[in-house]
Every structure is written in structure tokens, then in C-alpha cells.
Amino acid sequence: MSAPDDEVFEHLPAGTEMRRGGRERSMGFFEHLDEMRGTLIKSAIVFAIFAALIGYFMKEFNEVLLWPLHYVQAEKPTLVLELGTTTVMEGFNVVIQMCFLGGFILAAPFILFFVGQFVAPALTDHELRMVLPLVFMAGLLFLIGASFSFFLLVPSTIRVSIEINELLGYTLRWTPGSYYSLLTWLVLGVGAAFEFPLLIVLLVYMGVITTAFLRKYRRHAIVVIFIIAAVVTPTPDPVTQTLFAAPLYILFELAVFAGARVEKKRNERLRAP
């Protein structure tokens, strides 16, 4: 009779790793470091390539990022609004921000792939079947949230801000730094906020919370969602906050539905002999 899995692992020679899926590979500590260094180097190269491309096509990239502002300006033909710098280094800081954040966002899928290659040998087949869909969904949800913010929330925020300034009789004198700070905060913040359904599903899978608990406290979840919307959206108007909170609530319900299926499969696996 063969020894249990745990006993097999205990009798492996030092420096040997075995996946419970049946594959075996020998790797020492310094080999791990060498693979990690390779992963970091590849990630840095991809980031540098995208950052350089953004720097080379800076004018075109800048026009893309200005789309929300131009879209609102097209709705108001009489509106006079031109971004202007107020400090010597502001334009330089904007360029650095574009290259760094833009390069990181564009390189993120490749970096995740490289990290996945690094950690994959340490995962079992079952863990791989769980991790790969989670990574894909994480990227997809972030992309959906960032697109939702860029095409809907940012124009709505700009529109409300312009209307408030016109109501109070203020002259619009916006700077590139303030505009891109707003853009960065909303796009990245909303993209990150759209990841919360995965956190819910993961907590359900780990048994930390149950779908019955989520359904019981659904009203409390709605309050939390509106609090998140109030924190992420820079304007206090209820229209923009509701525009953000609505898809978050839909994602919450989808997370409960997905969590119920994960919970069912987990319970069946635990009951299996």
C-alpha cells in the first residue's frame, strides 16, 4: 500500500518539490531566486516598453485621456475652458504620471501572466483551475470598471462641476494636474471597486461568510455600497453617486449568485467520501 500524500512529501529529498497533480521538479533556494529575478526583469522590461511608447506617442495619448473633457465641451458650445499650468514643473509632472500609470496599467496583464508562470509549479491542479478564472475575472472586472468610469462617471463629474461653477459665477481655470488627478482617482478607484465581487466569492469559498448571511444583510450592503460611492466619487451630487452605486449593487447580486454555486460545490466536495 502506498503512503499517504503527506508522508510522500515528507520523504522527498531536500530541494525537491512535488505537485500533488503528480509532476515533480527539483529546485533549490537560489534557483527560486533566479526565477523570481527573471520574472521581475521581464515585468520591468514590459513596463518600460509601454511607458516608452506612451512617451513617444504622448500627444495622441493625451488626446485620448482628454476625451471626457472634450465630450462635455461639445455639449456646451459656448463654454470656454482651456487647461493651463500654474507651476513650472506641472507639465513635466503630468508627463511622468502618464508614462508611469499608463505603462503600469497596460503592462499589468503581462505582469500577471509572468507572476502566474512563477507560482504555477507550486499549485495543485485544483488550485490552478481556481486561480486562472479568478485572474481572468479580476482583469475583466477592472477593465469594465475603468471603462465605466472613463466613459460615464468622469464626464458626469465634469458636467456637474461646470454647472456648479456656472451657478456660483466662478471662472473656470482648471489645471492639467487637477484634471489628471481626477481622472486617475476615478478610473483606478472605480476599477478597483469593481473587484469586490471576487472578494465576496473568495470569502464564501473559504467559509468565512455564507450566502445566507449576505442575503440577510442585503440592506446593509446597499448602505455600504453608497458609502463606497460617496468616497470614490469626488462630487457630492446624488446623480453621480447613484450612477456608480447601481452597477456595484448589480455586481453584489451576481457575487451572491456565484457564491451560492461555489458554496454548493464546496459542500458537496466536503461531504464526498
Side-chain angles (χ1 to χ4, degrees):
M1 182 178 296
S2 60
D5 288 344
D6 292 337
E7 294 181 15
V8 172
F9 275 81
E10 289 175 359
H11 290 84
L12 287 175
T16 300
E17 294 180 354
M18 177 180 287
R19 288 186 50 183
R20 294 181 187 272
R23 284 169 292 183
E24 180 179 320
R25 60 181 301 186
S26 179
M27 183 177 294
F29 175 74
F30 290 103
E31 291 175 303
H32 275 293
L33 289 181
D34 188 59
E35 280 210 357
M36 181 183 295
R37 184 183 64 177
T39 300
L40 293 175
I41 291 175
K42 288 186 292 186
S43 301
I45 291 174
V46 172
F47 166 77
I49 290 173
F50 279 111
L53 286 174
I54 291 174
Y56 185 78
F57 296 101
M58 176 59 62
K59 187 174 181 180
E60 293 80 2
F61 188 72
N62 184 55
E63 286 298 318
V64 172
L65 296 182
L66 287 174
W67 179 87
L69 181 61
H70 292 162
Y71 178 78
V72 176
Q73 286 179 310
E75 297 178 344
K76 301 175 178 292
T78 60
L79 176 66
V80 178
L81 174 58
E82 296 180 357
L83 300 180
T85 59
T86 58
T87 61
V88 175
M89 299 299 293
E90 186 169 0
F92 178 78
N93 292 335
V94 168
V95 170
I96 296 298
Q97 185 178 5
M98 284 187 192
C99 292
F100 181 82
L101 292 178
F104 178 77
I105 292 173
L106 294 176
F110 298 92
I111 294 175
L112 287 175
F113 175 75
F114 296 146
V115 173
Q117 283 185 319
F118 175 72
V119 302
L123 302 177
T124 66
D125 292 332
H126 175 71
E127 289 169 340
L128 276 177
R129 288 194 297 268
M130 289 291 298
V131 169
L132 292 179
L134 283 176
V135 171
F136 173 78
M137 286 303 301
L140 181 61
L141 285 173
F142 181 85
L143 182 62
I144 293 174
S147 301
F148 171 79
S149 177
F150 185 79
F151 291 106
L152 290 177
L153 278 186
V154 175
S156 175
T157 301
I158 294 174
R159 191 179 298 111
V160 170
S161 179
I162 291 175
E163 291 173 353
I164 292 176
N165 279 272
E166 289 179 342
L167 177 65
L168 298 176
Y170 295 154
T171 301
L172 296 176
R173 294 172 181 169
W174 293 354
T175 65
S178 62
Y179 173 77
Y180 285 112
S181 295
L182 169 72
L183 190 66
T184 301
W185 173 257
L186 274 182
V187 172
L188 296 185
V190 174
F194 269 52
E195 301 287 346
F196 88 96
L198 288 181
L199 178 61
I200 292 177
V201 174
L202 182 62
L203 292 176
V204 171
Y205 174 77
M206 296 172 60
V208 178
I209 58 176
T210 63
T211 53
F213 174 86
L214 294 172
R215 294 190 182 98
K216 179 180 179 181
Y217 292 97
R218 180 179 277 112
R219 294 182 179 179
H220 299 77
I222 295 174
V223 174
V224 172
I225 287 173
F226 270 94
I227 292 175
I228 294 174
V231 171
V232 174
T233 55
T235 56
D237 67 290
V239 176
T240 304
Q241 292 181 9
T242 303
L243 187 64
F244 178 34
L248 285 184
Y249 178 72
I250 294 174
L251 288 174
F252 171 78
E253 293 293 343
L254 291 176
V256 173
F257 175 77
R261 299 190 62 179
V262 170
E263 194 175 46
K264 181 180 178 181
K265 291 182 179 180
R266 180 175 61 86
N267 293 337
E268 289 175 353
R269 189 170 61 254
L270 291 176
R271 288 196 297 265

